[in-house]
Amino acid sequence: MKSLLTIVVSLTAAALSEGSIVLPREDSINTDAAIPLVSLQKRALPNAPNGYTPEPGDCPSDRPAIRSATGLSPNETLWLEARRNQTLPAMVSLLTRMNITGFDAEKYFTQHISNDSNLPNIALAVSGGGYRACLNGAGAFQAFDSREENSTAPGHLGGLVQSATYFAGLSGGGWLVGSIFTNNFTTISGLLNNGNSSSVWQFGNSIFEGPAEAGLQIFDSAEYYSTIYDDVSAKSDHGFNASITDFWGRALSFQLVNASDGGPQYTFSSIALEDNFASGNTPMPILVADGRAPGETLISTNTTIYEFNPFEFGTFDPTTYGFAPLEYLGSNFSDGVLPDHDQCVRGFDNVGFVMGTSSSLFNQFLLQINSTSISSAFKNVLTSILTGLGNDNDDIAEYHPNPFYDYHNDTSTNARVNTLTLVDGGEDLQNIPLHPLIQPYRHVDVIFAVDSSADTTFNWPNGTSLVATYERSLNQSGIANGTVFPSIPDQNTFVNLGLNTHPTFFGCNSGNVTGPSPLIVYIPNSPYVFYSNVSTFDPSYNNSERNAIVENGYYVATMANGTTDAQWGMCVGCAMLSRSLERTATTVPD
């Protein structure tokens, strides 16, 4: 991996680096002291009834069912009332710090508090791209989080997390989202925690080797693989299809979840049960995966996009157009209902399995096994298991039984198959998880989109994800289903204009789009204090490399704490306010 750190970047990136390489900020990230230990307590609940194995049991009196995607769920609607009350004071504080000329944040919010739908609705999105995306996105999240040391100093953007309603990720970005929420909505400093050998994010050992002998996870490679194999085998023995994602998700959990054995009993739906989330003190986490039609191997831009949130799993796309209660995935739904004689299954939505579903790029990772230090015997065993699964065309995540079986048969290609197959959320080229955030029912005003994609030869983004989302939105008679997105230039123009080297706003003038559309604040990965263009498939990072990518991501998000552009903070504030000012017919400040 060292060679990647000295790689010669493109002329465009080099030009950027000449103008933006800066000395580390005076008050750099203090990962030893920035967060109390209590914040690393487990946040998601270990509420699966039988560890990693889904388990049938009694149903609640109000039996679960599939709902049509004709709006937000009652649970999300109720939660939004609590979350909006929490975001408003955070926005006032952040906007006041930004010192926008001619704008009094407290006065503006007081004037419009009686109808809070007039006030800004903010979302964050972090792209896929393996550990690069996880760590670069972590730097941005750290910059946006007012709990972090010095994040509210001049030139910094702490408070954006506290102002946001939604936080979406896919693939490597999904690891970031999942790890934060599974671990007590901790700070990034808490996950790094350099002064403690039991910190969660120990990426020095490859995922193929297992965790180092420190902290909660004390294993050698034999125990590591045995534990994973036993968990997946138990699931299969209980009648639930096991796919390569089960192995992958369990392995991810050892690196991302602060619990013994990688937390096999922790579920994604349990986030909804935690007081911190239920009271609206955090944004809503959303992970994204793509559907794969029967017999399909290449994923088109018109594929069905599914989302996981703490309440539901499903899609607003006009194909499946429905949502299942996440807690009861694995139950035998048919035509939208659970037969009277059937039990309710719980524990299917293991946090690792959900994160693994969103990041199922396995064939490339399989190529890394022979470069690891694990014994040849275990290399042979693992390769045999995974290759066998791949040869059976199971290199996907299997959701069996299909929760949308016999549901919307006229429009869904998956309605008549017993198993719903899902793949990495970026395989349709929409590597930034914008799809859940541009749904009209969510009324998002602005999306801060952190792009860590490896679109170019040298692993920098070039706008491909934005282009794919824009092109998909043009199909208004089909898959777009009412979603609207700002116009995006093609990739060549994008690069020629240098839009992949610095933050750019898309959709500032809402009059130029055909319907309600959020403003996109595009924040591409760029070299500030470290060449963070590491390969998507690098499997290990020592703490110095890990911290350097996070640090660089902080600089990307803040434009070097405002030293590259002193007006950046004010621009962020204007982006937050733009759609709100339009709704309230308020003159835009100078």
Side-chain angles (χ1 to χ4, degrees), residues 512-527:
N512 289 338
V513 291
T514 58
S517 170
L519 189 158
I520 307 299
V521 179
Y522 177 69
I523 305 174
N525 183 26
S526 304

Side-chain angles (χ1 to χ4, degrees), residues 478-490:
I479 198 69
N481 199 31
T483 57
V484 179
F485 200 74
S487 178
I488 305 294
D490 64 73

Side-chain angles (χ1 to χ4, degrees), residues 83 87 90-92 94 120-122 159-165 576:
R83 180 57 183 163
T87 62
M91 283 189 275
V92 170
L94 178 57
N121 188 15
I122 297 168
L160 201 53
V161 166
Q162 286 69 29
S163 301
T165 305
M576 293 169 61

Side-chain angles (χ1 to χ4, degrees), residues 9 30 38 118 187 190 204 270 313 341 360 371 396-397 510 517 561 564:
V9 298
N30 182 348
V38 68
N118 279 331
T187 62
S270 73
F313 162 73
H341 62 276
S360 55
S371 65
I396 36 74
S510 64
S517 170
N561 310 318
T564 298

